Amino acid sequence: SKAWLASGGHWDGSLCLSTAHGGGGLRLRLAVHSETVTCVALSRCARYVLSGSLDATALLWDFGRAGLAGLAAPGAEASPRPSHVLRGHGGDVLCVAVSSVLRVCAVASRDGHACLYLLRDGRRVRTFTSPDATPIDAVLLSDAGYVLLSSSAATALHLFALNGQRVWSARLDGGVSCLSLSPCHNALLLGLDTGDVLAWALFDRTPLITYEACPGPVVCLAVSEAHLLVATSTRHVLKYPPP
């Protein structure tokens, strides 16, 4: 099986898909957005790719049952088109998320709104508004049926059910620099500008484990069944047990 890399931020507004194994190599350059791609999300089944852009739209790509692996197959389409163009925002799209389990995707914007769309037909079915009226710069979709919004401007987190009901809101002293869900999607992991790493139960914010603080601001984290890896702005990479 292949590992895939999806990248945005290119000068021509393209979304690039590359293989990470076997010497790498660019497989597709999808130049459809009219402005720079700001964010990309891939479904865990590798069938769906979602890109957001400064052009205030998101593009949903459906690569079929073969998923991204089909790009390497003989006769694969050289220039696939997006399945759906997702509109409805009044500002730059800052973050996206996709769940093949829930069959929905989420697109959040500088305008303070996050919209939920169906993967099947691209129809918008729900709009969530940041209670702080600030840009939403991180969104997570839990397979348990929740949408998490983060606003660094307000140092706030908001959890919603798919029906639009707000479950909880929280403010943190340190800015939230990165978020992730555990593989089971029941635990929320947060990296803070203060160097702290927090693990909460997603539904009620119950602390699950206390981690030793990092030697600098956290810039990214990755979690698996076996490890939690945390990187800091001071060039440290630390390994912790998962929650």
Side-chain angles (χ1 to χ4, degrees):
S1 61
K2 293 181 179 293
W4 291 86
L5 300 175
S7 63
H10 304 289
W11 66 272
D12 58 354
S14 62
L15 166 67
C16 293
L17 299 173
S18 310
T19 54
H21 292 164
L26 179 66
R27 289 289 183 180
L28 279 180
R29 181 183 292 274
L30 305 171
V32 180
H33 283 289
S34 61
E35 295 288 347
T36 304
V37 173
T38 56
C39 47
V40 183
L42 283 72
S43 65
R44 286 191 288 175
C45 65
R47 174 171 178 167
Y48 300 100
V49 177
L50 181 63
S51 60
S53 169
L54 295 178
D55 62 13
T57 69
L59 300 179
L60 178 65
W61 311 79
D62 182 352
F63 291 98
R65 293 185 178 180
L68 291 175
L71 298 179
E77 189 176 354
S79 300
R81 303 296 296 176
S83 306
H84 304 291
V85 179
L86 309 179
R87 308 181 189 276
H89 286 290
D92 307 335
V93 173
L94 300 181
C95 49
V96 293
V98 59
S99 171
S100 54
V101 173
L102 299 176
R103 306 289 294 172
V104 297
C105 62
V107 180
S109 168
R110 195 180 300 278
D111 62 10
H113 300 292
C115 298
L116 207 63
Y117 302 85
L118 298 179
L119 296 182
R120 181 182 67 254
D121 55 13
R123 180 164 53 93
R124 184 171 54 178
V125 293
R126 188 78 60 194
T127 298
F128 305 91
T129 301
S130 169
D132 311 292
T134 53
I136 300 168
D137 44 32
V139 60
L140 296 178
L141 275 175
S142 166
D143 291 345
Y146 297 101
V147 181
L148 182 77
L149 308 180
S150 172
S151 170
S152 60
T155 62
L157 299 169
H158 308 285
L159 185 73
F160 293 86
L162 289 183
N163 63 5
Q165 182 71 35
R166 182 157 40 132
V167 180
W168 54 256
S169 293
R171 295 186 182 276
L172 298 120
D173 294 334
V176 178
S177 54
C178 51
L179 300 166
S180 183
L181 292 171
S182 63
C184 66
H185 279 211
N186 289 325
L188 172 65
L189 294 140
L190 305 94
L192 306 184
D193 292 336
T194 58
D196 292 315
V197 179
L198 307 178
W200 293 347
L202 180 63
F203 181 74
D204 59 5
R205 290 182 289 151
T206 300
L208 299 177
I209 189 171
T210 301
Y211 292 110
E212 181 180 351
C214 297
V218 177
V219 293
C220 60
L221 55 82
V223 62
S224 70
E225 297 284 358
H227 305 294
L228 167 62
L229 297 178
V230 179
T232 72
S233 61
T234 54
R235 302 181 184 179
H236 292 85
V237 177
L238 300 96
K239 184 173 73 173
Y240 297 100

